[in-house]
Amino acid sequence: MEEQKSRRVRLVLFPCPLQGHINPMLQLASILYSKGFSITIIHPRFISPNSYNYPHFTFIPIHDGISGIQASISDVLPLLSLLNVNCAVPLQDCLVRLLSDTNSAGGGEEEEPIACLISDAIMHFTQGVADSLKLPRLALRTSSIESFLAFAAFPVLRQKGYLPISDSQLETPVKELPPLRMKDLPVFNGHDQETLMGLNQLLISMVDQVKASSGLILNTFDYLEQSSLAALAQEFPIPVFTIGPFHKLFPASSSSLLSQDHSCIAWLDTQAPRSVIYISFGSIASMDESEFVEMAWGLAKSKCPFLWVVRSGLVQDSEQAEPVWPDGFLEMISGKGCIVKWAPQQDVLAHPAVGGFWSHNGWNSTLESICEGVPMLCRPNFGDQMVNARYVSHVWKVGLHLENRLERGEIERNIRRLMVEKEGEEMRERVMALKEKAEVCVRKGGCSNKHLGDLIAQIRGVSLQTRLEYK
Ligand code: UDX
């Protein structure tokens, strides 16, 4: 009876349409669905989540005004800025329709009014839309607390003259954000002044609109980011719900936008325990051709078996659908290396043959690695990845940071440090301890589990309130 009653409380979710953001949003949706809420996902039309993997959710695409060229995720800043402008009116219209038609997703059964909107923090315009409809909004920030605090500090850092970062100051500690150095700040390189101003505005709006929201949901666990919780509470005086790692409750595979090549699991089955290094740089990061070549030879020279995700767009400015491999490379790695375009990453990291992860330190990848007890080689590319890599290597000490320009000899040395030397073994022990903590956190009575209870209580509370408002 209780279950039936609660299932009729509806939540509307609005993700940021990038792989690293869609995964946690759909995991959160699955978690909340399992707690008895009904789920409606409104999303920009240009990227549609795999609705057939979620037959129990309602998906509503809205007009986003994004053309084919603008939809290029390799230049993510202009795309995010456009989405924040273009989606405002369509989202508002869609919510107005939903609010006035409580039966639209109910299959004839009477639905409760919408309890609240849960939207990605970077989709900051959603706060204004929610306010105009008197609908509470919860923000989901899909990265680490530390990187969020670093973004929140940007206005102060600019005022103090830290930004833009000059080459001579890269090693200088940022005393406001220890243990970050200037080069660990979550900047986006290679952009002109105008784009950087746009980024600044995007970040300021994200932070301001999270502060104006009814609460902040984070895909992390208290034990991991204990040292930042107090600073977060001070900077964001709103309810905060650290309820991760989400993927311990619901895997990311069903929200993958690319098709995952499962043949690599059969290849991993043939490899010795903890012998394989897995390499993936997520869905956006890229490198130039000369780094790609150094990487290929560094992997070959390390003599460690490897599984490498080489997705389309990994190599910058490559017109070719397939990467151009250095002469003799494929022959040299035959039997030692497996290359795929997109992997079932969680299954790969959980495989006993995998002993290390060379990662760009996107937050999902970082958490997935920690949760499988896999130490990392860190090669951050932009934004939050810089902060995550610093924490992985310097605070949690579960990875090595590749900081210089990629060079085959250095790659070979670092792979061997991680995979076969004592240093790597010690990192493995530390990351195994974090894995256990993550497991405890999501169990009944664990801190993430408790915070999830608090989140549900808050949503039920606002649900009552909105029901009264819309009576
Ligand atoms: C983006 C940003 O780049 C990242 O910094 C931010 O923290 C989240 O948004 P992305 O670069 O794609 O994400 O990286 P990440 O956060 O690691 O997310 C990638 C997701 O794709 C992971 O859930 C991972 O399991 C999945 N994945 C990756 C696959 O399913 N297969 C692959 O081959 C590689």
Side-chain angles (χ1 to χ4, degrees):
M1 187 67 196
E2 180 55 37
E3 165 77 355
Q4 249 194 5
K5 201 173 157 203
S6 57
R7 192 167 291 283
R8 282 194 240 120
V9 174
R10 193 181 338 167
L11 305 176
V12 177
L13 281 65
F14 187 84
C16 165
L18 299 172
Q19 184 72 78
H21 292 248
I22 285 178
N23 282 359
M25 185 62 92
L26 285 175
Q27 288 160 344
L28 176 65
S30 298
I31 293 168
L32 293 172
Y33 179 81
S34 76
K35 298 295 175 190
F37 295 97
S38 83
I39 301 290
T40 297
I41 312 261
I42 304 178
H43 62 89
R45 190 178 293 276
F46 89 96
I47 290 187
S48 296
N50 292 329
S51 52
Y52 47 83
N53 285 340
Y54 302 90
H56 42 304
F57 296 172
T58 303
F59 286 86
I60 308 178
I62 55 166
H63 182 70
D64 49 38
I66 305 284
S67 69
I69 288 180
Q70 289 166 328
S72 157
I73 57 162
S74 60
D75 204 0
V76 54
L77 289 183
L79 177 65
L80 292 175
S81 299
L82 262 181
L83 285 167
N84 269 291
V85 174
N86 293 3
C87 292
V89 172
L91 178 65
Q92 168 125 5
D93 291 349
C94 183
L95 283 171
V96 167
R97 267 199 315 277
L98 286 176
L99 285 164
S100 63
D101 179 11
T102 54
N103 280 324
S104 59
E109 202 181 287
E110 198 191 323
E111 285 273 319
E112 294 277 354
I114 298 161
C116 65
L117 173 68
I118 302 180
S119 58
D120 195 295
I122 200 78
M123 298 286 96
H124 57 76
F125 76 95
T126 56
Q127 184 64 44
V129 172
D131 285 346
S132 71
L133 298 171
K134 296 203 175 70
L135 192 63
R137 173 210 177 205
L138 292 164
L140 167 66
R141 177 64 194 156
T142 57
S143 192
S144 58
I145 296 177
E146 280 87 7
S147 66
F148 194 44
L149 287 173
F151 281 133
F154 263 40
V156 172
L157 297 180
R158 278 180 79 86
Q159 250 171 31
K160 292 190 174 177
Y162 285 88
L163 299 172
I165 302 169
S166 72
D167 283 351
S168 61
Q169 289 188 313
L170 290 176
E171 299 294 335
T172 309
V174 182
K175 61 178 189 312
E176 291 78 2
L177 295 167
L180 301 189
R181 303 154 298 176
M182 299 291 270
K183 65 180 180 187
D184 303 314
L185 287 175
V187 293
F188 293 70
N189 293 320
H191 285 290
D192 53 37
Q193 265 311 314
E194 200 187 330
T195 314
L196 287 177
M197 293 298 287
L199 167 68
N200 200 38
Q201 197 45 55
L202 186 72
L203 296 176
I204 291 173
S205 302
M206 169 175 78
V207 169
D208 286 351
Q209 298 310 314
V210 167
K211 286 179 180 167
S213 74
S214 305
L216 171 63
I217 304 170
L218 286 147
N219 182 16
T220 188
F221 55 107
D222 289 358
Y223 183 85
L224 189 66
E225 300 200 81
Q226 195 72 49
S227 59
S228 307
L229 286 170
L232 184 74
Q234 199 174 7
E235 182 75 27
F236 292 87
I238 52 172
V240 169
F241 307 99
T242 42
I243 60 170
F246 296 174
H247 77 277
K248 292 300 291 177
L249 303 172
F250 285 91
S253 49
S254 35
S255 50
S256 187
L257 296 168
L258 297 172
S259 147
Q260 297 177 324
D261 183 345
H262 287 261
S263 67
C264 58
I265 299 293
W267 180 82
L268 285 173
D269 289 342
T270 65
Q271 303 298 315
R274 290 180 177 175
S275 64
V276 175
I277 181 158
Y278 167 62
I279 307 115
S280 168
F281 297 144
S283 59
I284 306 172
S286 61
M287 57 178 54
D288 64 34
E289 209 170 319
S290 68
E291 286 190 299
F292 180 70
V293 169
E294 290 305 308
M295 200 172 160
W297 286 126
L299 281 166
K301 278 159 69 80
S302 77
K303 303 214 162 40
C304 280
F306 64 86
L307 167 57
W308 188 3
V309 176
V310 182
R311 68 161 159 73
S312 138
L314 177 68
V315 185
Q316 284 156 14
D317 303 325
S318 167
E319 300 288 303
Q320 325 272 343
E322 299 293 324
V324 182
W325 298 102
D327 276 351
F329 170 74
L330 292 177
E331 296 73 21
M332 186 168 170
I333 60 141
S334 166
K336 271 270 176 203
C338 176
I339 296 164
V340 293
K341 290 192 170 129
W342 195 243
Q345 180 159 302
Q346 270 181 250
D347 297 342
V348 166
L349 288 168
H351 196 285
V354 172
F357 181 12
W358 182 354
S359 171
H360 70 311
N361 291 113
W363 187 239
N364 297 289
S365 293
T366 304
L367 270 184
E368 288 161 16
S369 202
I370 287 173
C371 287
E372 296 306 337
V374 177
M376 286 163 261
L377 262 193
C378 306
R379 182 67 179 176
N381 203 251
F382 63 83
D384 67 316
Q385 300 157 16
M386 326 294 277
V387 181
N388 302 338
R390 181 68 171 159
Y391 272 77
V392 167
S393 59
H394 196 79
V395 178
W396 306 317
K397 297 187 167 53
V398 297
L400 297 169
H401 197 158
L402 287 176
E403 303 201 52
N404 302 324
R405 196 172 161 78
L406 291 183
E407 185 276 321
R408 62 192 76 181
E410 194 177 341
I411 292 171
E412 177 194 355
R413 268 191 305 285
N414 281 293
I415 291 178
R416 296 198 65 78
R417 277 172 75 195
L418 185 80
M419 298 299 290
V420 293
E421 291 175 13
K422 187 156 184 298
E423 211 180 344
E425 197 42 52
E426 287 167 358
M427 286 179 205
R428 192 161 294 116
E429 280 165 22
R430 284 193 284 270
V431 76
M432 285 305 286
L434 287 181
K435 168 186 156 90
E436 279 167 29
K437 295 288 184 191
E439 277 160 10
V440 171
C441 281
V442 292
R443 260 186 237 143
K444 198 160 186 257
C447 52
S448 296
N449 182 271
K450 281 194 201 145
H451 298 322
L452 178 58
D454 296 341
L455 172 64
I456 290 164
Q458 172 161 333
I459 295 174
R460 292 213 190 287
V462 295
S463 155
L464 266 178
Q465 214 176 312
T466 35
R467 238 180 297 169
L468 291 175
E469 296 226 3
Y470 286 97
K471 267 239 147 79

